[in-house]
Amino acid sequence: MTERLTLDQARRIAVRAQLLDADRPGDVVEVAEQLGYVKIDPTAVIAPCEHSVLWSRIGWSYESGQLQKAVEVDRLLFEFDGAFRPMSLLPLMLPRMRRWPQRESSKQWLAANDRFRRDVIARLRADGPLLASEIPDTAEVRRPPDGWSGGNQVPHMLDFLARQGVAAIARREGRHRVWDLAERVYPADLPQYDDEEAARLLEERWLQAYGIARPHWYWTGVGKATGAAAAVEGSVVRFRVDPEALAALDDDPGGRVAFLNPYDSMLFDRRRLEEVFGFTYVLEQFKPKAQRVYGYFAYPILLGDRFVGMLDAEHDRDDGVLRVAAVHEFAPLDEDESEMIRAEIGALAEWLGVDVGGPR
């Protein structure tokens, strides 16, 4: 049976699943458990992605040290593939990690560098945790520079070992990753799953995170057999919907204002944004300045279950000011809505520890 959802229902499911309704989560771990991951990105026009994603959910009580403690001290989160993830997901990821790599070129590079691989593991075992720069590059076959790590092959090997579940990121020193053997970073008593069960449970977790999703779209990892089939009013797209989200539709805590980092997981599926929210989102970070409409790194503004505008603002660390260049409205807002947005800008500035100011 296919569930029939109005646009309002589909939007509420998506907003609530992403923890963007009025019922705010209590801490970092709760956010990561629900979203499945918190993306890491250093672009800090206002704040780095991982921190602005958490602030947009938790609000004023979030402090960056809470994330560090959850990852490095409590080991309730772990860093993997450019994101902080809940440790509860690791057992579901391990079966696939143990089969990595699948790509033939990666298999060939690893095979050709078996001695290098053993060198890196031995160095970590003897002296870890270590920065990549503290590990000798003894590669015999080299990968071309990729724009991130240059010609040094150690970051490549560490990334490969992490994807295999052999190495892991123990902590960070600033923006630099500190590596160790996975057996010294990950808990030893993790539950075990076979490939099929792990894949099924992962798909269920991803659907829980999105509430409503397009099956087999790359970023969601939701399969066609997961959840319930759903049709949304006015859309030809066939979605899958989380049964628990359907059951909770009548329990509506209401909405609020949220400023979303351009790399927020709520924004990744552009087709879903268009079909469910009527919002065509274009990241302008890599556009020439003359072609930008809303700004270099403008934050979409979610008001309740509608995207109503874009916040073009910058954290001026030298002057201690949150400089607001513009609040672009997609359609005219009433005074109450405008006041809610102004109040959230004030809350953002307070969280950053600065005042609100205009553009230079």
Side-chain angles (χ1 to χ4, degrees):
M1 183 181 74
T2 299
E3 300 288 341
R4 305 287 175 178
L5 299 175
T6 66
L7 282 173
D8 285 346
Q9 289 173 324
R11 289 171 178 171
R12 287 207 309 272
I13 287 172
V15 168
R16 192 171 191 181
Q18 285 284 294
L19 302 177
L20 293 167
D21 59 8
D23 188 10
R24 288 183 182 268
D27 60 33
V28 167
V29 177
E30 184 180 345
V31 174
E33 287 284 356
Q34 174 59 28
L35 300 189
Y37 68 97
V38 177
K39 181 173 173 57
I40 303 167
D41 188 86
T43 307
V45 175
I46 293 177
C49 181
E50 58 270 28
H51 297 307
S52 59
V53 164
L54 290 166
W55 175 79
S56 68
R57 271 75 179 178
I58 298 169
W60 65 269
S61 64
Y62 170 66
E63 298 176 0
S64 61
Q66 296 168 0
L67 176 60
Q68 184 179 14
K69 181 176 182 292
V71 176
E72 299 179 9
V73 179
D74 300 334
R75 297 295 187 197
L76 296 174
L77 308 182
F78 68 102
E79 181 177 343
F80 179 83
D81 194 22
F84 295 114
R85 303 169 190 270
M87 197 63 76
S88 63
L89 280 187
L90 180 58
L92 307 182
M93 297 167 60
L94 282 172
R96 184 173 182 179
M97 290 164 67
R98 291 176 183 131
R99 298 195 310 271
W100 197 90
Q102 300 295 316
R103 184 178 298 175
E104 191 59 34
S105 60
S106 296
K107 291 181 181 179
Q108 291 174 0
W109 186 80
L110 277 174
N113 281 297
D114 184 62
R115 187 180 67 181
F116 176 34
R117 181 179 186 274
R118 287 184 278 111
D119 288 346
V120 172
I121 293 172
R123 184 62 182 265
L124 288 176
R125 188 172 301 281
D127 301 322
L130 296 169
L131 295 164
S133 59
E134 297 175 306
I135 300 173
D137 180 356
T138 60
E140 296 175 285
V141 176
R142 315 188 75 78
R143 292 165 62 94
D146 60 3
W148 295 96
S149 53
N152 188 347
Q153 302 298 289
V154 173
H156 290 302
M157 181 57 76
L158 288 169
D159 180 64
F160 277 34
L161 291 173
R163 291 178 183 276
Q164 293 180 320
V166 175
I169 300 164
R171 64 176 187 273
R172 285 203 172 218
E173 293 183 2
R175 302 302 299 186
H176 298 287
R177 297 172 294 178
V178 180
W179 297 84
D180 203 348
L181 295 177
E183 65 196 49
R184 297 201 290 236
V185 177
Y186 298 152
D189 56 348
L190 293 172
Q192 300 291 317
Y193 298 94
D194 60 32
D195 290 2
E196 185 176 345
E197 185 179 16
R200 177 182 60 80
L201 292 173
L202 262 181
E203 288 183 355
E204 291 177 359
R205 287 289 295 270
W206 291 130
L207 184 57
Q208 173 189 331
Y210 285 91
I212 181 169
R214 291 189 292 144
H216 290 317
W217 187 66
Y218 175 76
W219 287 106
T220 63
V222 173
K224 288 185 177 179
T226 307
V232 176
E233 171 190 359
S235 175
V236 298
V237 175
R238 290 297 174 261
F239 293 93
R240 306 299 296 187
V241 64
D242 178 16
E244 292 187 11
L246 276 175
L249 261 176
D250 293 335
D251 181 20
D252 183 9
R256 61 179 175 87
V257 174
F259 302 142
L260 300 185
N261 184 287
Y263 293 130
D264 195 292
S265 57
M266 181 70 172
L267 305 171
F268 277 178
D269 189 344
R270 304 292 203 261
R271 179 75 185 277
R272 190 183 76 151
L273 284 178
E274 292 175 354
E275 296 288 330
V276 175
F277 292 91
F279 175 38
T280 301
Y281 176 53
V282 177
L283 175 61
E284 298 185 312
Q285 180 181 12
F286 304 106
K287 282 190 170 188
K289 186 174 182 179
Q291 295 179 18
R292 295 174 192 150
V293 177
Y294 301 116
Y296 167 74
F297 208 66
Y299 278 45
I301 303 171
L302 182 69
L303 178 57
D305 61 5
R306 297 178 298 132
F307 285 95
V308 299
M310 302 287 286
L311 172 65
D312 184 9
E314 177 184 4
H315 180 190
D316 185 334
R317 292 162 179 80
D318 292 333
D319 292 344
V321 172
L322 176 64
R323 298 199 178 279
V324 179
V327 175
H328 300 280
E329 300 177 7
F330 296 152
L333 301 174
D334 63 34
E335 183 55 36
D336 287 344
E337 292 171 332
S338 296
E339 177 55 35
M340 290 173 67
I341 291 171
R342 286 193 293 270
E344 192 69 2
I345 291 172
L348 174 57
E350 184 178 1
W351 174 66
L352 293 170
V354 299
D355 296 323
V356 178
R360 287 185 183 277

